[in-house]
Amino acid sequence: MKLLRHPLSLSQIANYSFWFMLASSIFGGALLLALLFRHEHINDAHQVTKAAYESLFVLKYETERLLTTSELQSQKELLFEAARQFDSRFKPLTARPHPNIKEWSGFAHIITEEIQKIRIVLQAPLFDPRSMMEKSLLRRLGEGLVSEPHTENYVQIRDLTNAIAYLKQYEDFLLDELRALEQHEQNQHATQLEHIKFWLLVLILSAISTLIALAFSLSKGIKKIEINLLGTQEELRSALFELEQKQKKLEDQRNLLDHMAHHDALTGIPNRLLFLEKLRTLLEITRRTGEQLAVWFLDLDRFKEINDSFGHNIGDMVLQEVAHRLTDAAGNASVARLGGDEFALIVENIRDRTDAEAVITRFMSSLQHPLFVEHHEIYITCSAGASLFPQEAQSAEALLRNADSAMYHAKDEGKNTYAFYNQEMTRRAYERVTMESALRKALKNEEFVLHYQPQINMLTNKIVGFEALVRWQHSELGLVSPAKFIPIAEETGLIIDIGAWVLETACRTLMQWRSEGLEVGYMAVNISAKQLLHGQLEYAIPDFLKRIGYPKNALELELTESMIMRNPDYARKIFTRLRTEGIKIAIDDFGTGYSSLAYLKHLPIDTLKIDQSFVRPLPQSHSDGQIVRSIIHLCQGLGLGIIAEGVETEQQSHFLHQHGCTHAQGYLYAKPLDAAGAKSILSALKQ
Ligand code: C2E
Ligand code: MG
Ligand code: MG
């Protein structure tokens, strides 16, 4: 990240300014000192000159006074004192570096000489105190008599007067000098003042300009810092914003992931994970409050067939719609999709089973209305099982397991219903789980056997064919009914292998019987929904028959009505192909599904098998009689073969025959028999 960016840092500016100020101050100070020193020097010269002048003046004065005073002795002393003073004061003047030094020295010498002369004069008797009168006279004479007579005293007075005149001259000279010095001093003062003013001005200006430069640089620096700070602030703000955005995105992603981890991607409702979490929490709460709750396990009936016949896309849409209806029906109950076509519910705060039932019956009634998916009208049902807390289990897992067992019980009860858990169900559920692995082993160990049940022509009372019915020869359980294991084989997909085995065994048996000269018209083999959809029957069966050299028109495939009607177009395509290969098609358990007569008309089929549920109540049940008669008429109208299954009594046989049914199958004629039993019947008939 870019932070403060400016050419000169604040500390650098301060540093440079300090050094500049210091240099200016030193320079200015030195300059001022020099000026002051010079001023002192001039001042000193002036003082010395002044002192010299004063002492010369005093000397002259004291000398003059000699001529007028009566106190001659004391005046002499004063004069000598003045002369000494003059010496001492005049000396520094000559010692100074003055341009007129030589002149000064000359003056000093002359003055000293003059003083000496005065001293000599003063030794004269004239200046004796006793001749004061004379002296005063002489002075006057001296004043009056300038040239003659040249008396000794006169000469002395004249010399003295001359000396005084000399002194006066020098005094004047000194005075002039003093004035000149004063003038010079004044000029120097003025110049110095000018210089000082000038340098002070320069100093002030430089200080001001330095300050201005400093202030400017500072303000510029501050501005830059400000701009940089603003920029940095902006950058920080945008970085913060970006960070916030990223944080938000991450939060969203985390929420999404969390949602995805806890919700089913297809339906959007909670998944098994969230369901169990919620159930555990609710169990904790319910344990404390002492209330009850119910867990429902729901499984759609025959959903695999929907998937297989309509494709997975439609299957997915069906699941979505089911989830939607379940959520609507659930109200306050918690919904979840556990996987595949399995759903679950938690109904909290229930008083008894009735409260738990209310939710599931609401959902089941909502499924009574068809689902419209991509122009298809699909009917679907579900089976459900419930387990109650705290009566039946304590943990979430156990509750769900129990509800699952109860759901299987509901399936066993014929589907489209619900059941509440009891302990017996656990045993059954366990059986179911073990069944699958047992079935795999059974296939490997060839534990399956086929029984054959004759199909009779009611006119001739002769066996026209056999229906092959599979059984499981279990080492411990004995002969296990297909009703017990076929649904599991369907669910697990094992039915494909079992079905193939059945077809091959049945066909080979018929060929075997025929090869032994026994008359058997055809073999009927049951085909499951899974085989129809995944077995590629239209190719696999004809290929197989050709391979083993199976006789033409001696195979009939039985498919249940409901299985066909789930996807009649697909069924028609397959049946058409099979029939061109001489394979006959029979609709098994006819009347139990919801056949559309319009479809039936176009289906390439050969025979309808009236379901035993209509045959059993005959001839007493009027309604069943009516249904059976209608089916017979339908077959006659469509030119289809007809066979009634589950015929157990003569009355049933009579009724059927009387109303035009041509073929029958049931215990009345023969129960399903093992291969040996069936063969012996055939052999008996032959004789
Ligand atoms: P289904 O195809 O309708 O078979 C007729 C069932 O009715 C047979 O039961 C048969 O034993 C029974 N039955 C026949 N006559 C009478 C009678 O007079 N009274 C009574 N009460 N029952 C009679 P089974 O053998 O137990 O087979 C049950 C179902 O299992 C079959 O119904 C069929 O859907 C299925 N199944 C049997 N074998 C196979 C097979 O090899 N493959 C497939 N996919 N399903 C099979
Ligand atoms: Mg059958
Ligand atoms: Mg049947």
Side-chain angles (χ1 to χ4, degrees):
M1 197 183 301
K2 285 174 280 173
L3 274 172
L4 308 178
R5 289 168 304 178
H6 51 91
L8 226 52
S9 76
L10 197 61
S11 63
Q12 275 177 316
I13 292 166
N15 216 9
Y16 291 148
S17 304
F18 169 76
W19 285 113
F20 180 75
M21 289 283 280
L22 190 71
S24 304
S25 307
I26 290 171
F27 179 69
L31 212 68
L32 280 172
L33 272 176
L35 288 173
L36 283 172
F37 182 73
R38 187 155 166 70
H39 172 76
E40 269 309 301
H41 180 69
I42 292 165
N43 202 31
D44 198 27
H46 177 244
Q47 287 300 326
V48 173
T49 312
K50 198 176 168 190
Y53 165 75
E54 277 170 6
S55 65
L56 190 63
F57 177 80
V58 170
L59 187 68
K60 186 206 80 180
Y61 174 76
E62 296 302 345
T63 314
E64 274 181 344
R65 282 251 305 159
L66 273 177
L67 298 176
T68 54
T69 186
S70 54
E71 297 291 328
L72 201 57
Q73 192 53 41
S74 61
Q75 188 56 41
K76 257 197 217 173
E77 281 168 17
L78 281 171
L79 183 67
F80 289 140
E81 178 57 31
R84 224 177 19 257
Q85 279 232 347
F86 173 77
D87 273 347
S88 68
R89 289 202 179 165
F90 204 74
K91 230 175 233 150
L93 190 66
T94 55
R96 297 201 67 77
H98 195 273
N100 298 329
I101 182 109
K102 276 188 184 154
E103 204 176 346
W104 280 112
S105 309
F107 286 165
H109 183 66
I110 293 164
I111 291 164
T112 312
E113 272 181 8
E114 288 305 317
I115 292 167
Q116 204 51 45
K117 277 183 197 168
I118 292 165
R119 275 206 181 106
I120 294 164
V121 170
L122 290 178
Q123 299 304 321
L126 181 68
F127 292 96
D128 193 278
R130 284 167 297 181
S131 35
M132 268 312 289
M133 285 305 290
E134 197 179 353
K135 186 182 69 181
S136 145
L137 180 73
L138 278 173
R139 188 174 57 84
R140 280 194 301 269
L141 277 173
E143 284 170 359
L145 300 170
V146 177
S147 52
E148 42 184 1
H150 295 284
T151 64
E152 193 184 347
N153 285 343
Y154 170 75
V155 171
Q156 283 174 353
I157 288 168
R158 191 194 63 195
D159 287 347
L160 193 61
T161 315
N162 282 346
I164 290 166
Y166 274 129
L167 286 176
K168 187 143 175 63
Q169 263 181 29
Y170 291 124
E171 186 197 324
D172 290 344
F173 180 78
L174 268 180
L175 200 65
D176 286 348
E177 185 65 16
L178 202 61
R179 282 203 194 103
L181 268 174
E182 270 176 2
Q183 189 58 45
H184 181 67
E185 196 182 355
Q186 268 174 13
N187 290 346
Q188 285 288 329
H189 265 284
T191 321
Q192 278 170 11
L193 213 64
E194 284 303 310
H195 283 168
I196 287 170
K197 272 186 196 166
F198 172 74
W199 284 112
L200 266 177
L201 197 70
V202 167
L203 203 66
I204 289 166
L205 280 175
S206 67
I208 288 171
S209 56
T210 307
L211 282 173
I212 288 171
L214 188 67
F216 179 71
S217 182
L218 269 175
S219 77
K220 220 169 152 186
I222 287 168
K223 192 126 195 138
K224 273 190 178 159
I225 289 166
E226 209 178 1
I227 288 166
N228 280 341
L229 274 176
L230 277 175
T232 312
Q233 208 179 7
E234 199 51 48
E235 273 174 30
L236 277 173
R237 203 174 288 143
S238 68
L240 199 74
F241 180 72
E242 242 173 71
L243 207 74
E244 275 174 3
Q245 291 290 312
K246 276 187 188 157
Q247 225 173 0
K248 202 170 163 301
K249 217 169 164 184
L250 274 175
E251 185 77 23
D252 289 350
Q253 277 172 353
R254 211 188 60 192
N255 289 342
L256 189 73
L257 281 176
D258 195 52
H259 189 272
M260 276 162 68
H262 289 93
H263 289 80
D264 173 47
L266 179 69
T267 59
I269 62 174
N271 61 13
R272 180 186 284 267
L273 191 73
L274 184 56
F275 178 81
L276 284 172
E277 273 175 22
K278 187 158 192 185
L279 184 55
R280 282 186 204 111
T281 315
L282 286 174
L283 288 183
E284 283 297 309
I285 298 167
T286 312
R287 211 167 267 135
R288 281 199 298 273
T289 55
E291 286 162 353
Q292 294 184 60
L293 65 74
V295 173
W296 280 104
F297 193 110
L298 296 89
D299 188 281
L300 300 181
D301 298 327
R302 298 193 182 95
F303 176 71
K304 280 191 173 61
E305 289 165 26
I306 290 182
N307 239 352
D308 294 340
S309 19
F310 294 105
H312 286 269
N313 276 353
I314 302 272
D316 283 352
M317 287 185 228
V318 167
L319 286 174
Q320 285 170 336
E321 179 57 25
V322 167
H324 186 67
R325 290 196 187 179
L326 182 62
T327 312
D328 278 355
N332 290 331
S334 310
V335 204
R337 181 179 171 215
L338 302 181
D341 59 347
E342 295 170 351
F343 293 85
L345 285 171
I346 308 169
V347 192
E348 298 166 57
N349 201 7
I350 54 165
R351 283 160 301 179
D352 49 28
R353 287 180 171 206
T354 329
D355 288 346
E357 268 172 332
V359 180
I360 210 71
T361 46
R362 222 170 25 236
F363 173 58
M364 284 183 164
S365 346
S366 81
L367 289 186
Q368 280 170 7
H369 305 286
L371 282 70
F372 294 98
V373 180
E374 298 235 317
H375 314 301
H376 297 283
E377 190 178 317
I378 296 172
Y379 283 91
I380 194 151
T381 57
C382 96
S383 303
S387 178
L388 302 175
F389 175 84
Q391 299 91 318
E392 285 152 10
Q394 295 305 307
S395 73
E397 288 76 9
L399 275 168
L400 201 62
R401 208 168 42 239
N402 289 351
D404 190 13
S405 302
M407 185 277 293
Y408 269 110
H409 181 77
K411 289 246 184 216
D412 287 344
E413 291 293 298
K415 303 191 170 92
N416 193 20
T417 185
Y418 60 84
F420 281 88
Y421 172 79
N422 62 46
Q423 296 222 320
E424 170 66 12
M425 291 174 185
T426 307
R427 198 184 56 75
R428 294 239 300 268
Y430 177 73
E431 266 179 23
R432 187 178 286 273
V433 175
T434 50
M435 179 81 87
E436 189 188 333
S437 60
L439 275 178
R440 285 184 198 282
K441 275 190 210 145
L443 197 65
K444 219 169 83 187
N445 301 341
E446 296 181 350
E447 291 174 17
F448 294 113
V449 286
L450 283 188
H451 280 194
Y452 303 92
Q453 189 175 30
Q455 294 187 342
I456 310 293
N457 181 330
M458 293 178 97
L459 288 170
T460 59
N461 242 6
K462 283 201 169 165
I463 296 174
V464 286
F466 283 90
E467 180 180 5
L469 295 158
V470 71
R471 270 101 184 89
W472 180 11
Q473 188 66 63
H474 196 277
S475 54
E476 288 163 22
L477 303 171
L479 214 55
V480 182
S481 151
K484 286 223 166 155
F485 65 85
I486 290 285
I488 297 168
E490 283 246 14
E491 277 172 32
T492 55
L494 276 172
I495 194 69
I496 302 276
D497 291 338
I498 297 173
W501 177 85
V502 169
L503 183 78
E504 185 173 349
T505 313
C507 291
R508 286 194 191 279
T509 306
L510 180 128
M511 283 171 75
Q512 176 66 32
W513 289 341
R514 280 203 182 180
S515 71
E516 290 173 19
L518 298 171
E519 270 185 45
V520 50
Y522 60 89
M523 189 60 81
V525 175
N526 291 286
I527 299 292
S528 78
K530 202 148 246 171
Q531 281 175 284
L532 176 67
L533 293 160
H534 297 297
Q536 292 190 306
L537 301 182
E538 68 274 36
Y539 303 107
I541 296 178
D543 284 356
F544 165 70
L545 297 184
K546 267 177 212 152
R547 204 170 64 239
I548 62 165
Y550 191 78
K552 282 253 173 194
N553 304 319
L555 178 66
E556 186 169 84
L557 300 179
E558 290 190 12
L559 297 109
T560 61
E561 182 193 4
S562 50
M563 182 198 306
I564 295 166
M565 284 309 152
R566 252 169 252 143
N567 198 345
D569 294 334
Y570 178 73
R572 188 172 58 217
K573 221 169 65 193
I574 292 185
F575 294 169
T576 309
R577 167 94 176 86
L578 288 171
R579 285 182 86 222
T580 56
E581 297 288 337
I583 297 163
K584 286 185 268 184
I585 307 290
I587 298 188
D588 204 353
D589 304 342
F590 188 79
T592 55
Y594 304 93
S595 280
S596 156
L597 294 181
Y599 269 115
L600 201 63
K601 192 174 74 178
H602 297 296
L603 268 180
I605 51 171
D606 301 280
T607 313
L608 287 188
K609 287 187 82 176
I610 304 171
D611 189 69
Q612 48 186 289
S613 58
F614 302 112
V615 176
R616 201 175 300 124
L618 293 179
Q620 290 81 7
S621 166
H622 176 70
S623 58
D624 287 303
Q626 284 298 332
I627 291 170
V628 168
R629 285 216 312 262
S630 306
I631 296 172
I632 295 167
H633 284 144
L634 182 73
C635 288
Q636 287 166 347
L638 292 173
L640 299 173
I642 181 136
I643 180 167
E645 45 176 19
V647 181
E648 291 182 357
T649 64
E650 284 292 349
Q651 290 93 321
Q652 288 165 348
S653 168
H654 181 71
F655 181 91
L656 290 161
H657 181 58
Q658 197 186 350
H659 289 94
C661 181
T662 54
H663 293 79
Q665 179 185 348
Y667 294 171
L668 176 66
Y669 310 102
K671 285 196 169 184
L673 304 159
D674 61 14
K679 192 178 155 187
S680 63
I681 287 187
L682 279 176
S683 306
L685 283 173
K686 199 182 170 192
Q687 286 152 16

PDB file of all heavy atoms in Angstrom, residues 455 467-469 524-527 558-560 587-589 609 645 665, ligand 2:
ATOM      1  N   GLN A 455     -52.336 -74.204 -17.065  1.00  0.00           N
ATOM      2  CA  GLN A 455     -53.417 -73.317 -17.530  1.00  0.00           C
ATOM      3  C   GLN A 455     -54.304 -74.200 -18.419  1.00  0.00           C
ATOM      4  O   GLN A 455     -53.799 -74.896 -19.317  1.00  0.00           O
ATOM      5  CB  GLN A 455     -52.838 -72.127 -18.285  1.00  0.00           C
ATOM      6  CG  GLN A 455     -52.007 -71.228 -17.357  1.00  0.00           C
ATOM      7  CD  GLN A 455     -51.532 -69.928 -18.004  1.00  0.00           C
ATOM      8  OE1 GLN A 455     -51.525 -69.810 -19.236  1.00  0.00           O
ATOM      9  NE2 GLN A 455     -51.138 -68.973 -17.175  1.00  0.00           N
ATOM     10  N   GLU A 467     -47.750 -71.862 -16.159  1.00  0.00           N
ATOM     11  CA  GLU A 467     -47.137 -70.606 -15.688  1.00  0.00           C
ATOM     12  C   GLU A 467     -45.985 -70.982 -14.766  1.00  0.00           C
ATOM     13  O   GLU A 467     -46.182 -71.749 -13.813  1.00  0.00           O
ATOM     14  CB  GLU A 467     -48.130 -69.717 -14.933  1.00  0.00           C
ATOM     15  CG  GLU A 467     -47.455 -68.428 -14.451  1.00  0.00           C
ATOM     16  CD  GLU A 467     -48.385 -67.473 -13.680  1.00  0.00           C
ATOM     17  OE1 GLU A 467     -49.549 -67.829 -13.425  1.00  0.00           O
ATOM     18  OE2 GLU A 467     -47.907 -66.374 -13.331  1.00  0.00           O
ATOM     19  N   ALA A 468     -44.821 -70.438 -15.062  1.00  0.00           N
ATOM     20  CA  ALA A 468     -43.656 -70.706 -14.218  1.00  0.00           C
ATOM     21  C   ALA A 468     -43.663 -69.755 -13.027  1.00  0.00           C
ATOM     22  O   ALA A 468     -43.741 -68.540 -13.205  1.00  0.00           O
ATOM     23  CB  ALA A 468     -42.382 -70.530 -15.022  1.00  0.00           C
ATOM     24  N   LEU A 469     -43.617 -70.324 -11.840  1.00  0.00           N
ATOM     25  CA  LEU A 469     -43.644 -69.495 -10.612  1.00  0.00           C
ATOM     26  C   LEU A 469     -42.420 -69.853  -9.763  1.00  0.00           C
ATOM     27  O   LEU A 469     -42.207 -71.016  -9.431  1.00  0.00           O
ATOM     28  CB  LEU A 469     -44.929 -69.751  -9.837  1.00  0.00           C
ATOM     29  CG  LEU A 469     -46.195 -69.319 -10.574  1.00  0.00           C
ATOM     30  CD1 LEU A 469     -47.423 -70.056 -10.044  1.00  0.00           C
ATOM     31  CD2 LEU A 469     -46.412 -67.810 -10.455  1.00  0.00           C
ATOM     32  N   ALA A 524     -45.676 -69.803 -19.641  1.00  0.00           N
ATOM     33  CA  ALA A 524     -45.916 -68.395 -19.269  1.00  0.00           C
ATOM     34  C   ALA A 524     -44.899 -68.007 -18.197  1.00  0.00           C
ATOM     35  O   ALA A 524     -44.744 -68.716 -17.205  1.00  0.00           O
ATOM     36  CB  ALA A 524     -47.330 -68.219 -18.749  1.00  0.00           C
ATOM     37  N   VAL A 525     -44.209 -66.893 -18.431  1.00  0.00           N
ATOM     38  CA  VAL A 525     -43.166 -66.432 -17.493  1.00  0.00           C
ATOM     39  C   VAL A 525     -43.496 -65.015 -17.019  1.00  0.00           C
ATOM     40  O   VAL A 525     -43.826 -64.150 -17.839  1.00  0.00           O
ATOM     41  CB  VAL A 525     -41.770 -66.467 -18.168  1.00  0.00           C
ATOM     42  CG1 VAL A 525     -40.708 -65.869 -17.251  1.00  0.00           C
ATOM     43  CG2 VAL A 525     -41.399 -67.892 -18.550  1.00  0.00           C
ATOM     44  N   ASN A 526     -43.430 -64.830 -15.713  1.00  0.00           N
ATOM     45  CA  ASN A 526     -43.716 -63.490 -15.156  1.00  0.00           C
ATOM     46  C   ASN A 526     -42.509 -62.564 -15.346  1.00  0.00           C
ATOM     47  O   ASN A 526     -41.369 -62.945 -15.116  1.00  0.00           O
ATOM     48  CB  ASN A 526     -44.022 -63.590 -13.668  1.00  0.00           C
ATOM     49  CG  ASN A 526     -45.343 -64.287 -13.414  1.00  0.00           C
ATOM     50  OD1 ASN A 526     -46.410 -63.724 -13.628  1.00  0.00           O
ATOM     51  ND2 ASN A 526     -45.261 -65.536 -13.000  1.00  0.00           N
ATOM     52  N   ILE A 527     -42.814 -61.364 -15.746  1.00  0.00           N
ATOM     53  CA  ILE A 527     -41.759 -60.356 -15.954  1.00  0.00           C
ATOM     54  C   ILE A 527     -42.025 -59.178 -15.007  1.00  0.00           C
ATOM     55  O   ILE A 527     -43.160 -58.704 -14.928  1.00  0.00           O
ATOM     56  CB  ILE A 527     -41.771 -59.856 -17.421  1.00  0.00           C
ATOM     57  CG1 ILE A 527     -41.506 -61.005 -18.405  1.00  0.00           C
ATOM     58  CG2 ILE A 527     -40.790 -58.707 -17.647  1.00  0.00           C
ATOM     59  CD1 ILE A 527     -40.111 -61.596 -18.363  1.00  0.00           C
ATOM     60  N   GLU A 558     -45.896 -62.587 -18.899  1.00  0.00           N
ATOM     61  CA  GLU A 558     -46.958 -61.997 -18.087  1.00  0.00           C
ATOM     62  C   GLU A 558     -46.433 -60.711 -17.439  1.00  0.00           C
ATOM     63  O   GLU A 558     -45.440 -60.739 -16.716  1.00  0.00           O
ATOM     64  CB  GLU A 558     -47.414 -62.972 -16.998  1.00  0.00           C
ATOM     65  CG  GLU A 558     -48.173 -64.166 -17.539  1.00  0.00           C
ATOM     66  CD  GLU A 558     -48.820 -64.999 -16.431  1.00  0.00           C
ATOM     67  OE1 GLU A 558     -48.860 -64.528 -15.277  1.00  0.00           O
ATOM     68  OE2 GLU A 558     -49.282 -66.103 -16.731  1.00  0.00           O
ATOM     69  N   LEU A 559     -47.120 -59.633 -17.717  1.00  0.00           N
ATOM     70  CA  LEU A 559     -46.743 -58.330 -17.115  1.00  0.00           C
ATOM     71  C   LEU A 559     -47.982 -57.759 -16.455  1.00  0.00           C
ATOM     72  O   LEU A 559     -49.069 -57.841 -17.025  1.00  0.00           O
ATOM     73  CB  LEU A 559     -46.221 -57.370 -18.181  1.00  0.00           C
ATOM     74  CG  LEU A 559     -44.946 -57.855 -18.876  1.00  0.00           C
ATOM     75  CD1 LEU A 559     -45.233 -58.269 -20.308  1.00  0.00           C
ATOM     76  CD2 LEU A 559     -43.893 -56.769 -18.855  1.00  0.00           C
ATOM     77  N   THR A 560     -47.824 -57.192 -15.272  1.00  0.00           N
ATOM     78  CA  THR A 560     -49.025 -56.711 -14.574  1.00  0.00           C
ATOM     79  C   THR A 560     -49.570 -55.446 -15.245  1.00  0.00           C
ATOM     80  O   THR A 560     -48.821 -54.683 -15.876  1.00  0.00           O
ATOM     81  CB  THR A 560     -48.747 -56.398 -13.088  1.00  0.00           C
ATOM     82  OG1 THR A 560     -47.773 -55.384 -13.040  1.00  0.00           O
ATOM     83  CG2 THR A 560     -48.288 -57.618 -12.323  1.00  0.00           C
ATOM     84  N   ILE A 587     -51.619 -59.729 -20.019  1.00  0.00           N
ATOM     85  CA  ILE A 587     -51.672 -58.746 -18.924  1.00  0.00           C
ATOM     86  C   ILE A 587     -52.147 -59.474 -17.676  1.00  0.00           C
ATOM     87  O   ILE A 587     -53.272 -59.980 -17.630  1.00  0.00           O
ATOM     88  CB  ILE A 587     -52.595 -57.559 -19.266  1.00  0.00           C
ATOM     89  CG1 ILE A 587     -52.048 -56.809 -20.489  1.00  0.00           C
ATOM     90  CG2 ILE A 587     -52.710 -56.624 -18.076  1.00  0.00           C
ATOM     91  CD1 ILE A 587     -52.758 -55.524 -20.809  1.00  0.00           C
ATOM     92  N   ASP A 588     -51.225 -59.512 -16.680  1.00  0.00           N
ATOM     93  CA  ASP A 588     -51.477 -60.241 -15.429  1.00  0.00           C
ATOM     94  C   ASP A 588     -52.278 -59.359 -14.466  1.00  0.00           C
ATOM     95  O   ASP A 588     -52.240 -58.133 -14.555  1.00  0.00           O
ATOM     96  CB  ASP A 588     -50.110 -60.592 -14.818  1.00  0.00           C
ATOM     97  CG  ASP A 588     -50.169 -61.789 -13.898  1.00  0.00           C
ATOM     98  OD1 ASP A 588     -51.286 -62.268 -13.637  1.00  0.00           O
ATOM     99  OD2 ASP A 588     -49.090 -62.233 -13.451  1.00  0.00           O
ATOM    100  N   ASP A 589     -52.984 -60.028 -13.555  1.00  0.00           N
ATOM    101  CA  ASP A 589     -53.735 -59.330 -12.488  1.00  0.00           C
ATOM    102  C   ASP A 589     -54.624 -58.230 -13.076  1.00  0.00           C
ATOM    103  O   ASP A 589     -54.757 -57.146 -12.484  1.00  0.00           O
ATOM    104  CB  ASP A 589     -52.784 -58.695 -11.460  1.00  0.00           C
ATOM    105  CG  ASP A 589     -51.829 -59.711 -10.840  1.00  0.00           C
ATOM    106  OD1 ASP A 589     -52.138 -60.912 -10.941  1.00  0.00           O
ATOM    107  OD2 ASP A 589     -50.804 -59.304 -10.288  1.00  0.00           O
ATOM    108  N   LYS A 609     -55.396 -61.645 -18.083  1.00  0.00           N
ATOM    109  CA  LYS A 609     -55.595 -62.599 -16.993  1.00  0.00           C
ATOM    110  C   LYS A 609     -56.428 -61.916 -15.922  1.00  0.00           C
ATOM    111  O   LYS A 609     -55.977 -60.939 -15.309  1.00  0.00           O
ATOM    112  CB  LYS A 609     -54.247 -63.027 -16.400  1.00  0.00           C
ATOM    113  CG  LYS A 609     -53.455 -63.951 -17.299  1.00  0.00           C
ATOM    114  CD  LYS A 609     -52.209 -64.485 -16.588  1.00  0.00           C
ATOM    115  CE  LYS A 609     -52.566 -65.670 -15.691  1.00  0.00           C
ATOM    116  NZ  LYS A 609     -51.355 -66.250 -15.080  1.00  0.00           N
ATOM    117  N   GLU A 645     -57.610 -66.414 -13.231  1.00  0.00           N
ATOM    118  CA  GLU A 645     -56.690 -67.083 -12.300  1.00  0.00           C
ATOM    119  C   GLU A 645     -57.318 -67.205 -10.923  1.00  0.00           C
ATOM    120  O   GLU A 645     -58.295 -66.530 -10.613  1.00  0.00           O
ATOM    121  CB  GLU A 645     -55.325 -66.401 -12.241  1.00  0.00           C
ATOM    122  CG  GLU A 645     -55.314 -64.915 -12.151  1.00  0.00           C
ATOM    123  CD  GLU A 645     -53.899 -64.334 -11.999  1.00  0.00           C
ATOM    124  OE1 GLU A 645     -52.919 -65.008 -12.309  1.00  0.00           O
ATOM    125  OE2 GLU A 645     -53.832 -63.163 -11.564  1.00  0.00           O
ATOM    126  N   GLN A 665     -57.029 -71.026 -14.522  1.00  0.00           N
ATOM    127  CA  GLN A 665     -55.835 -71.474 -13.796  1.00  0.00           C
ATOM    128  C   GLN A 665     -56.187 -71.415 -12.331  1.00  0.00           C
ATOM    129  O   GLN A 665     -56.774 -70.432 -11.880  1.00  0.00           O
ATOM    130  CB  GLN A 665     -54.669 -70.525 -14.114  1.00  0.00           C
ATOM    131  CG  GLN A 665     -53.374 -70.830 -13.421  1.00  0.00           C
ATOM    132  CD  GLN A 665     -52.303 -69.746 -13.725  1.00  0.00           C
ATOM    133  OE1 GLN A 665     -52.502 -68.918 -14.624  1.00  0.00           O
ATOM    134  NE2 GLN A 665     -51.226 -69.776 -12.989  1.00  0.00           N
TER     135      GLN A 665
HETATM  136 MG    MG B   2     -48.451 -64.387 -13.272  1.00  0.00          MG
END
